Amino acid sequence: MVEDNRLGNDPETTSTPQAIVGGEDEKTVKLLSQMLETNVLEIKPQLDYASESGYFYPVAEQILGVKGGEVVSIMDSLADRGILKRDFFDRLLRCPQCQSINMRPSTHCSKCGSGDIARGRVLEHFLCKYVGLEEDFVSKGRYICPKCHQELRTIGSDYQSLGLLRKCRSCDEVFHIPLIKWRCLKCNSLTAEDKITEVNIYSYRFNEEKKSWLEFELQPKPQLVEFLKQRGYEVTEHATMKGRSGAEHIIDILATRDDGVVTYNIAIGVKIAGDEVALSDIFDFDDKAYDIGIHDKILVVVPGLRREAEKFASQQRIKVLEVRDLETVLSSGAPKPSEEIKKEPFEFKSKSQLIEYLKRLGYQVEENAEVQGRSGAKHNLDILATKDDGLVIHHIAMGIEAAEKPIELDKVFDFDDKAYDIGILDKVFIAIPGLSREARQFTQRQKIRVFEVKELEPSG
Ligand SMILES: [Zn+2]
Ligand SMILES: [Zn+2]
Ligand SMILES: [Zn+2]
């Protein structure tokens, strides 16, 4: 039986081969960074018969500050994800009684199991059929049969040599292949070969193909996550989301933030290719984001994009960042105080209070903004709020509609149409004193955030 020394085959980590190092514990990150920095590209085991497992990884133990099985399970989990490659190093035999690897083989009679066997040239006396070791025939320089005591004279005519064989001193069996048993030098027990536990041990080397991916995971990615968190985003790495099609998608980094006015979702995809990121990668990412319904899309590409992919990305309003660009964004420093998260209820009694509120949230506000749509038509937006959070520029189209009774569908429809023509996807509608049922249903379908307000005081 072959038992693998691999521990920690946790299904959660193995089911996602691309799992992120960011979610990893410090030790793993330390091991990988050290391997990269110091160019330790292979971690080899060292045999140690005194230890319980029989081997250890001195370099990894030194880096990780832990010993034995824990080291092996960290390296195996990295190997399961293709970050390290596992090479066969040796196979150890382990005593099934006491687990020691201090095992010595011994040969035994294949018939009776006795250890009292001799090895040598075996002769057969034709006359009496006696078969025995040559040394047992020798007597004063002649061959005398120990059974019938006749002299053996001519090989081939009265006796023959059967070759080098073994003979059991206990049961006289003559045989070619002895039985191997293993003596444990620790607990002294004797174990048949098929009952021995075999343990494969491996050396681990760095998977060069994963190098740029890993460099990204270890350096800019945690910084990007931190950057987003500082700006009030909730960040989920490796987020699983269900699309409108029913399919489940995984977004490398999902950043979500509700600032009280609009809920922002940013899908960040990470594409690392050996050469250049291809068009199909951009398609995949764009399809995913579309199916989930996320319009703020950022794609981090290492090393860069092909020209046709670049063109498609800009058409689809995907912001593409190479690691260099990302570093520029990340070094832009901590957010201004106005960009800190404020958990105050979105309440306002007048339009001027609303604008005040938006400004406090860090928006640039333009009232009665004249904006040209894609159709060429000029539109008037009650409020156009813009905010650059360093990574994405958010535009919100806001419509304010006041009437004696609930606002009807046609008004909301007009507003949505306008926003669509301008190309703004974050939409807020303020309805005084409220919305009709059809109008509300429409806003839900069109993802328009609605604030129903009883009355609005004239701005002063
Ligand atoms: Zn025997
Ligand atoms: Zn004989
Ligand atoms: Zn033992």
Side-chain angles (χ1 to χ4, degrees), residues 241 244 251 253-256 264-268 285-286 288-297 425 447:
M241 298 195 83
R244 287 170 285 199
I251 297 288
I253 302 171
L254 174 72
T256 304
Y264 297 110
N265 286 301
I266 307 177
I268 302 174
F285 174 66
D286 194 49
K288 241 195 286 195
Y290 177 78
D291 194 29
I292 298 167
I294 295 182
H295 54 260
D296 284 326
K297 297 166 284 188
L425 296 154
K447 299 208 165 140

Side-chain angles (χ1 to χ4, degrees), residues 193-368:
E193 192 160 36
D194 61 347
K195 297 285 190 295
I196 287 283
T197 314
E198 292 188 351
V199 181
N200 287 342
I201 59 172
Y202 300 90
S203 68
Y204 296 82
R205 80 194 136 86
F206 198 77
N207 183 359
E208 283 288 319
E209 285 166 27
K210 292 270 181 180
K211 202 170 172 187
S212 28
W213 170 77
L214 194 62
E215 277 166 350
F216 174 76
E217 291 284 322
L218 292 173
Q219 265 297 318
K221 188 165 143 182
Q223 288 169 359
L224 172 61
V225 170
E226 192 49 40
F227 179 92
L228 290 163
K229 284 183 177 166
Q230 278 176 2
R231 280 156 182 79
Y233 285 95
E234 271 182 50
V235 181
T236 313
E237 292 182 48
H238 229 61
T240 307
M241 298 195 83
K242 205 166 196 154
R244 287 170 285 199
S245 69
E248 274 198 355
H249 305 286
I250 290 173
I251 297 288
D252 295 324
I253 302 171
L254 174 72
T256 304
R257 176 181 159 179
D258 184 348
D259 68 1
V261 183
V262 162
T263 302
Y264 297 110
N265 286 301
I266 307 177
I268 302 174
V270 178
K271 289 286 170 205
I272 290 157
D275 190 5
E276 274 183 319
V277 178
L279 188 55
S280 60
D281 290 326
I282 320 288
F283 270 122
D284 282 350
F285 174 66
D286 194 49
D287 281 351
K288 241 195 286 195
Y290 177 78
D291 194 29
I292 298 167
I294 295 182
H295 54 260
D296 284 326
K297 297 166 284 188
I298 296 174
L299 195 61
V300 178
V301 292
V302 180
L305 273 196
R306 295 215 179 111
R307 188 166 297 170
E308 88 253 23
E310 220 169 87
K311 213 169 128 193
F312 175 75
S314 84
Q315 273 165 12
Q316 296 306 109
R317 300 222 234 159
I318 299 170
K319 181 167 181 172
V320 174
L321 295 173
E322 291 182 12
V323 169
R324 214 174 334 116
D325 308 327
L326 186 60
E327 277 161 3
T328 312
V329 170
L330 297 181
S331 64
S332 65
K336 287 173 226 117
S338 66
E339 288 177 6
E340 280 169 13
I341 347 152
K342 287 197 183 73
K343 288 277 178 211
E344 51 179 308
F346 184 34
E347 271 175 7
F348 49 91
K349 289 202 174 79
S350 66
K351 193 174 170 189
S352 59
Q353 266 186 16
L354 166 64
I355 286 163
E356 209 35 57
Y357 178 84
L358 290 170
K359 283 181 176 167
R360 275 209 306 279
L361 285 176
Y363 287 96
Q364 281 189 309
V365 182
E366 198 182 335
E367 288 179 75
N368 302 316

Side-chain angles (χ1 to χ4, degrees), residues 70-254:
E70 204 177 331
V71 172
V72 177
S73 77
I74 288 172
M75 292 193 299
D76 274 326
S77 103
L78 289 168
D80 288 339
R81 276 168 290 157
I83 300 166
L84 296 180
K85 282 189 172 173
R86 201 163 22 213
D87 297 312
F88 176 80
F89 184 81
D90 205 349
R91 178 173 296 127
L92 300 180
L93 305 180
R94 207 181 270 295
C95 169
Q97 310 299 326
C98 78
Q99 310 303 316
S100 168
I101 60 152
N102 261 313
M103 305 290 284
R104 194 179 63 84
S106 58
T107 49
H108 294 261
C109 168
S110 57
K111 193 179 169 195
C112 76
S114 164
D116 188 12
I117 57 174
R119 183 166 173 261
R121 199 154 83 108
V122 170
L123 304 180
E124 181 186 7
H125 189 205
F126 289 150
L127 192 71
C128 71
K129 301 286 177 224
Y130 179 78
V131 174
L133 289 165
E134 185 180 23
E135 62 188 58
D136 297 338
F137 284 85
V138 178
S139 172
K140 293 174 188 149
R142 293 184 303 162
Y143 283 153
I144 303 294
C145 174
K147 189 182 172 193
C148 68
H149 307 290
Q150 302 262 359
E151 186 178 356
L152 280 55
R153 293 177 193 277
T154 319
I155 188 156
S157 77
D158 58 347
Y159 75 98
Q160 66 168 338
S161 166
L162 299 177
L164 264 180
L165 292 170
R166 289 178 169 83
K167 181 167 178 170
C168 176
R169 297 253 185 241
S170 300
C171 74
D172 283 339
E173 178 78 357
V174 169
F175 51 92
H176 184 53
I177 298 165
L179 210 65
I180 305 284
K181 289 188 182 180
W182 292 83
R183 171 78 67 192
C184 173
L185 299 180
K186 195 177 167 202
C187 74
N188 210 34
S189 66
L190 198 60
T191 307
E193 192 160 36
D194 61 347
K195 297 285 190 295
I196 287 283
T197 314
E198 292 188 351
V199 181
N200 287 342
I201 59 172
Y202 300 90
S203 68
Y204 296 82
R205 80 194 136 86
F206 198 77
N207 183 359
E208 283 288 319
E209 285 166 27
K210 292 270 181 180
K211 202 170 172 187
S212 28
W213 170 77
L214 194 62
E215 277 166 350
F216 174 76
E217 291 284 322
L218 292 173
Q219 265 297 318
K221 188 165 143 182
Q223 288 169 359
L224 172 61
V225 170
E226 192 49 40
F227 179 92
L228 290 163
K229 284 183 177 166
Q230 278 176 2
R231 280 156 182 79
Y233 285 95
E234 271 182 50
V235 181
T236 313
E237 292 182 48
H238 229 61
T240 307
M241 298 195 83
K242 205 166 196 154
R244 287 170 285 199
S245 69
E248 274 198 355
H249 305 286
I250 290 173
I251 297 288
D252 295 324
I253 302 171
L254 174 72

